[in-house]
Amino acid sequence: MRRILLGTFVAIILILLSSASIMKEEHRAFASHKLEDMAKRLPLRDIPSVDTIMEVPEFIKGKAIVFNLNNNKVVHMGLSMFSRETKEMIGTDICNFLERYFLELLLLRDKTSIIRKLTEDHIELLLNGQKFGAENFSSLQEVMQNICMPVNFSLFHKDQHAEAVWMSVGMHLQMKFPLYRELIDGMDKKESDEGVYNLLRVAVCDSIYDADDDVSYENLVHKTGNVYVYKGETFMIKSLTSDRYYMEENGKYHLIFTPMYPEYSMNNLFLSYQNGAGKTLLVTHRQYGYFTPEFTIPLNNFLACFKNDFLVACHTGYNKQNELETIVVFKHKILNYIHLLRVHVNKEELFINSPVLKADFYSNIPQHYISSLLK
């Protein structure tokens, strides 16, 4: 009798542990609560474990749903509307948002709920000039099913708003929406910070082959002696720029990385890949809720994570400990937010073999916060 009771008790414990494990896996399976909630409302038995485009005819006929995964998490889910090549050309963030948002609307099903969500998000959806909810535009599912190839797609930006337009036979569909991170990413600050952290952790082992463009004399401005500047953009304050510094040697111009010019050298490291090989960042990631994980990553791998969607500007000076300190700002090309990296190193250590540069990294912060962070 004792053996039976013991066996039953062990079985119950194993079931509870298994259930807890499954719940943990389910929680980790999605990059945001929004995606998890959307997946629960889809008529699917299983969520794909790899990048997948699949039709779900019991949900919507003639259209597919796309799933993108990263590090075993679903990081994007939506109504498949763009090819990978189109996303790279237009902008992955915006295309993913449009795909996800239309799937969100379709999951609501009834007209009243869709109108309420559009209003809450300050979005206008129009078909042939009529807003959603009008007599000739009351079924979003019908419209999405009837949009057929070929489709002419356009995207327009003006200040902090955008307009997406799809033109098909007899159909002119418009979506006007504001450009702010929470809407486009579909994540809160905590989830976005975790997403950036996971992106960087995965990128640690990537192979980086990016080469810098050659420059000619015509593109340079003489600064002093044999130092020249390739002028870039200025971000918010005069000293924060994407200017790169070159030296002339035997009629050729090379990016500066020499103890003769430590500040220019440090600055160049974050605006090019040429001298970043062998250099490592020891990063303290200052996330939402005072969570501060640390990790190491090759410098060029870190920079490559932001090369497509961000503009980079930086400024190098000396801190109170007389170390070289560089402020690096990664400004999103479309959305009104930045990532900020604050790096410091002793100037003698910068030029040794395989130096480690200590850095504080602030992700997903509004641009107006930069003034206080630069103090």
Side-chain angles (χ1 to χ4, degrees), residues 233-266:
E233 296 189 37
T234 299
F235 179 70
M236 292 191 72
I237 58 175
K238 195 174 180 179
S239 60
L240 197 56
T241 73
S242 55
D243 293 352
R244 289 179 290 169
Y245 300 92
Y246 289 80
M247 289 180 66
E248 186 272 328
E249 294 177 6
N250 301 320
K252 293 186 178 180
Y253 299 90
H254 306 279
L255 276 165
I256 290 176
F257 190 74
T258 170
M260 291 173 56
Y261 299 106
E263 292 175 71
Y264 296 157
S265 299
M266 184 80 159

Side-chain angles (χ1 to χ4, degrees), residues 161-217:
H161 289 79
E163 179 180 350
V165 180
W166 294 262
M167 295 183 68
S168 185
V169 179
M171 303 184 75
H172 185 269
L173 183 64
Q174 298 168 269
M175 179 187 280
K176 300 177 182 180
F177 55 95
L179 292 169
Y180 60 91
R181 182 192 59 76
E182 292 83 353
L183 176 66
I184 304 303
D185 285 354
M187 299 180 183
D188 59 28
K189 177 69 164 64
K190 181 175 182 293
E191 292 168 338
S192 292
D193 284 350
E194 289 174 353
V196 174
Y197 176 76
N198 290 330
L199 172 70
L200 292 168
R201 295 299 295 136
V202 170
V204 167
C205 299
D206 288 348
S207 298
I208 306 300
Y209 300 104
D210 290 86
D212 298 308
D213 296 331
D214 292 329
V215 297
S216 60
Y217 176 78

